[in-house]
Amino acid sequence: MDFSTTALLAASGLGAGLVNAIAGGGTFFTFSALIAAGLPPVVANATSAVAVTPANLASAWAYRRELAANLKRFAALGAVSLVGGLLGAYILTVTDNSSFSRLVPWLLLFATLLFAASPQIVALARSIGRAEGKHPSTRAWAAGLAFQFLVSVYGGFFGAGMGIVMLAALAITEGDDFHLINSAKHLCSTLIQLVAVVLFIMAGLVSWRETFIVGAASIVGGYAGVAFGRRLPAPVIRWLVIAVGAILTVYFFIR
């Protein structure tokens, strides 16, 4: 591997850790860099998921108190996330590179639109959750779990934009408490990613050399993102991710 490729992968990991710590969307950076490094699309997607796992685990650990206090409350969400993540990851393992290549531009377009519409999506979900008062109705709670299952399948398969849609699903079941929703999001995201990572490794889809480069840089980016996020508003980072997503979507449509 030459120096320019190593630098590209390290920069993508740094950027992914940074934006994931603030607004989400790091997959845009890592997946595209791994494709540019010459990995087949399915391997690039699996390698990206494995590479950013340590940084995401660190984020989940930061919410350990909230998670410990609400484990029973989050049990159904966690179970749904595990099953959905496993299904999505399995679908990826049986998808050939040519089919996945044709899906990539549409997946990137979908994720970019999710980021752009995220405030409206979350607001709509919260209005559904509050329709029956402070706590969601049984119907709304069941709808939130079903929504979370679909999000988990998507997350296990590709993952870009997963956090935004998950916030909407959790706003239905958990209400307006930001820290409660964010801790649940980190728990569910971690479960989806861990089960997917195990399946990807078992299927031999991970390129380890690239994983170590991107993963080490993403940890640094994750730590930097906490400090940087205090100085730069999250919407600025979100729109940066949207711009990157739009550019990559156009690129993958015309390549």
Side-chain angles (χ1 to χ4, degrees), residues 11 23 37 64 87 122 156 178-179 236:
R64 60 191 179 278
L87 177 58
V122 175
F178 171 77
H179 291 294
V236 174

Side-chain angles (χ1 to χ4, degrees), residues 59-136:
S59 297
W61 179 252
Y63 276 95
R64 60 191 179 278
R65 292 180 182 174
E66 289 85 354
L67 292 175
N70 293 282
L71 279 180
K72 183 179 291 188
R73 180 187 182 110
F74 294 157
L77 286 168
V80 163
S81 298
L82 276 173
V83 175
L86 182 61
L87 177 58
Y90 173 74
I91 293 172
L92 180 68
T93 64
V94 297
T95 302
D96 60 85
N97 281 296
S98 61
S99 299
F100 190 72
S101 293
R102 289 193 292 270
L103 284 174
V104 164
W106 297 101
L107 291 169
L108 290 172
L109 176 62
F110 176 66
T112 303
L113 292 176
L114 286 177
F115 272 95
S118 59
Q120 292 78 17
I121 293 171
V122 175
L124 176 62
R126 283 178 175 162
S127 70
I128 294 172
R130 288 197 302 263
E132 302 277 338
K134 183 178 179 181
H135 299 289

